[in-house]
Amino acid sequence: MKNIAILGSTGSIGTNALKIVRSRPKDFNVIGISGYSNVSLLAKQIKEFNPEIVSVKDDAVIKKLEKLVSLKGIKVYAQNIGLNKIVINKKVKTILVATSGTVSLEPTLEAIERGKIIALANKEPLVMAGQIVMERIKKNKGYLIPVDSEHSAIFQCLKNEDIKKLRKIYLTGSGGPFKKLKKSQLEKVTLAMALKHPKWKMGKKITIDSATLMNKGLELIEARWLFDVEPEKIEVIIHPEAVIHSMVEFCDRSIIAQLGITDMRLPIQYAFDYPQRIDNDLQSINFLKTKALTFLKPDLLSFPCLAIAKQVALKGGSCGAVMNAVNEIAVQAFLSEKIKFIEIPKIVSGVLKKHLFIKRPNLDEILKLDIWARREAELLCYQH
Ligand code: NDP
Ligand code: MG
C-alpha cells in the first residue's frame, strides 16, 4: 500500500490518477488532495477517497465545501499553506504534482528536500528553475519521475542506459489542431478551434499550449534539465498519429522508442509503480489497424512559440521563468478572448526581449521575475 498525495486532484491529470487509485484500492491510500475552486468535484473526491488533508483556494471555498461534505477529522487548509502542509506530511511518500502552473514550483522543491518521490506532471518547476530543481535533487533524497508522456517515454527508453552514450532525443508531438495551417490562416483561428485537440483530452492551458506548440517548447526545456542533455541534442518532430511518445538515439545509431495509446493513465501509473510494472485494463495498440506512422518537421515560422522556446533553452538563466510567466498570462488572455491566437508569441517575445537577463538566478530572483513578467504581459494583453 502506497501513501500518496495528489496536488491538482480535480484537474485532468488528477482525475486520471484517481481513476488508477479507484481501480486498485489495495495499492494506494490517498492521504492528501488539493484542488482550487471546483468544490462539487472536491466534495465527491473527499467522500470517495477519505483523505486526511485537503487544500483549496481560500476560506470562502472551505465554507462552500463544508456545505457539501462533512469535513470532520479532515484537515482543510487554504492554498497559501495547504500545498505545503500536504507535502510535509510524514505519511505521504509519493506526490503527484499536477496543479496549475507556477504554484507547483515551491511544493516540488519542498518535496525534494523532504525526500519524497515526486511524480511530476507540471512542467513549470523545470522550465522556471531547472537548474535549482536538479541541484536540490543531487543534494537530497527526493527524486522525480516524469509524468508528461514524452518524458515518461524518454525516461523508460533511458532506463539502464549510459546517458553519456546518448546521441539525440527525438521529442515527438502530435502537432495540435493547427498543424496543417500556415501563418496567414492562423490569424483567423478561434478559441473553440484551439480547444479541440486531435489526440489528447487535457486541461485548457495545456491544450492551448499544444495548439501554439509552446507545449513542445516547454517540454524541450523540461527534457533538457530532467535528463541533463544539451538543448542541441533534442529534436522536436511532429508525429500526428501520436503512437510514438518519444525516442532516444545512442552513439551506435540504435534508436529506442516508447509507444502506447494516448491515455495519461499510462505515464501516471508508470510513475506511481516505478520501478515495477503492474497489469491494467488499458487498450493495447493494434498495429494492424495503424495505417502509417508519419513524421514532419515543425513549421517554426507559423508556430513561433517553439522557436522562442528553443532560444530560451539555449540561453538558459532567467529566460525560462520569464517565458513561462508571460505565456501563462497570454494564454489566459486568449482563453478570455482578449487577444488573438497569433498574438501569444508576440507578447512572449516582447517581454522576453525587455527583461534583464540573469545567468544564474536564485529562487528569490526567479519568483520576483515571475511577478514582473506577469505584470508586463498583463499590460500588453489587457491595455491595448
Ligand atoms: P487542469 O487545468 O485540468 O487542472 C489544474 C488543477 O490545479 C486543478 O485541480 C485545479 O483546481 C488546480 N488549480 C487551478 N488553479 C490553481 C491555483 N492557482 N493554485 C492551486 N491549484 C490550482 O490541468 P491539467 O491536469 O491538464 O495539467 C496539470 C499540469 O500537468 C500542467 O502543468 C500541465 O502542463 C501538465 N500536464 C498535463 C497533461 C494532461 O494530459 N492534462 C499532460 C502532461 C502534462 P480546480 O479544478 O478546483 O480549479
Ligand atoms: Mg506532453
Side-chain angles (χ1 to χ4, degrees):
M1 177 77 89
K2 274 190 180 154
N3 282 344
I4 62 166
I6 300 176
L7 307 187
S9 65
T10 52
S12 163
I13 293 284
T15 48
N16 270 309
L18 287 172
K19 278 186 199 161
I20 299 171
V21 175
R22 183 178 295 125
S23 68
R24 291 167 50 194
K26 288 194 184 128
D27 292 347
F28 301 107
N29 182 21
V30 181
I31 305 284
I33 56 174
S34 86
Y36 198 57
S37 55
N38 186 346
V39 274
S40 56
L41 184 53
L42 263 174
K44 280 188 197 144
Q45 293 181 345
I46 291 171
K47 276 184 204 154
E48 182 176 357
F49 297 101
N50 198 23
E52 293 178 21
I53 319 176
V54 176
S55 169
V56 296
K57 183 181 175 196
D58 53 24
D59 292 342
V61 173
I62 298 178
K63 284 209 176 94
K64 282 189 198 159
L65 198 56
E66 271 167 351
K67 288 189 185 141
L68 297 178
V69 63
S70 161
L71 298 176
K72 221 174 136 198
I74 304 174
K75 294 185 186 107
V76 188
Y77 299 100
Q79 160 98 0
N80 53 346
I81 56 166
L83 298 180
N84 189 264
K85 287 279 184 192
I86 294 176
V87 169
I88 66 175
N89 183 288
K90 289 218 169 77
K91 279 194 196 164
V92 173
K93 300 286 179 235
T94 301
I95 305 174
L96 173 62
V97 180
T99 66
S100 127
T102 307
V103 284
S104 60
L105 174 59
E106 286 177 271
T108 302
L109 288 172
E110 187 67 48
I112 294 169
E113 291 200 353
R114 303 264 167 176
K116 312 277 178 174
I117 302 163
I118 303 144
L120 186 68
N122 279 99
K123 297 150 211 270
E124 293 79 6
L126 291 166
V127 173
M128 294 173 72
Q131 190 150 14
I132 296 175
V133 171
M134 299 316 286
E135 277 169 6
R136 292 225 185 159
I137 286 183
K138 279 191 195 133
K139 281 193 205 138
N140 295 280
K141 282 199 183 135
Y143 60 93
L144 302 178
I145 305 170
V147 166
D148 209 348
S149 58
E150 296 76 3
H151 305 75
S152 174
I154 299 162
F155 187 80
Q156 293 178 56
C157 295
L158 288 175
K159 204 174 161 199
N160 303 327
E161 296 287 350
D162 180 357
I163 190 86
K164 288 193 213 91
K165 306 287 177 186
L166 178 74
R167 192 172 170 270
K168 197 171 196 173
I169 289 177
Y170 289 100
L171 186 69
T172 58
S174 71
F178 305 139
K179 61 183 164 294
K180 292 194 179 131
L181 301 192
K182 289 284 156 216
K183 206 173 175 184
S184 57
Q185 297 167 296
L186 288 170
E187 283 184 24
K188 298 185 196 93
V189 300
T190 62
L191 175 59
M193 287 158 80
L195 284 172
K196 271 200 195 120
H197 195 279
K199 288 287 173 191
W200 297 92
K201 257 189 89 190
M202 310 177 282
K204 284 185 181 172
K205 157 76 169 49
I206 181 172
T207 304
I208 302 303
D209 284 344
S210 299
T212 62
L213 293 198
M214 178 57 98
N215 186 46
K216 244 0 93 181
L218 295 169
E219 290 181 353
L220 193 158
I221 301 169
E222 190 186 354
R224 180 254 176 283
W225 290 114
L226 202 51
F227 305 109
D228 191 20
V229 285
E230 296 93 343
E232 295 90 337
K233 281 189 176 173
I234 306 171
E235 183 174 342
V236 172
I237 44 175
I238 304 301
H239 167 46
E241 296 81 15
V243 169
I244 296 174
H245 296 316
S246 276
M247 309 181 259
V248 298
E249 183 179 15
F250 295 98
C251 57
D252 61 354
R253 318 277 158 165
S254 181
I255 295 175
I256 300 182
Q258 187 262 344
L259 289 69
I261 55 164
T262 51
D263 189 319
M264 284 308 291
R265 281 177 290 174
L266 217 153
I268 298 169
Q269 169 177 332
Y270 183 81
F272 276 171
D273 293 326
Y274 181 81
Q276 286 183 299
R277 287 192 188 269
I278 309 281
D279 194 11
N280 63 23
D281 58 5
L282 295 181
Q283 278 180 344
S284 298
I285 291 180
N286 182 341
F287 284 103
L288 299 178
K289 282 192 180 162
T290 310
K291 289 198 185 91
L293 299 184
T294 56
F295 304 95
L296 308 161
K297 209 175 164 164
D299 174 356
L300 297 185
L301 276 180
S302 305
F303 298 93
C305 281
L306 180 56
I308 296 169
K310 277 186 168 188
Q311 287 307 315
V312 165
L314 289 169
K315 197 163 177 201
S318 52
C319 293
V322 172
M323 183 187 79
N324 171 67
V326 182
N327 182 57
E328 260 187 47
I329 297 296
V331 170
Q332 200 47 55
F334 175 66
L335 285 170
S336 320
E337 300 189 85
K338 297 285 181 212
I339 61 166
K340 288 198 274 182
F341 184 78
I342 53 154
E343 286 179 281
I344 298 173
K346 291 180 190 162
I347 290 166
V348 176
S349 74
V351 181
L352 260 173
K353 277 184 196 138
K354 206 174 161 189
H355 105 274
L356 286 176
F357 178 70
I358 307 175
K359 199 166 168 31
R360 275 195 67 113
N362 59 33
L363 189 58
D364 193 42
E365 287 168 325
I366 286 174
L367 296 175
K368 280 190 182 133
L369 265 173
D370 177 81
I371 294 170
W372 171 84
R374 277 164 202 280
R375 268 200 220 116
E376 291 289 321
E378 274 162 6
L379 287 176
L380 293 173
C381 292
Y382 297 101
Q383 296 185 4
H384 65 299

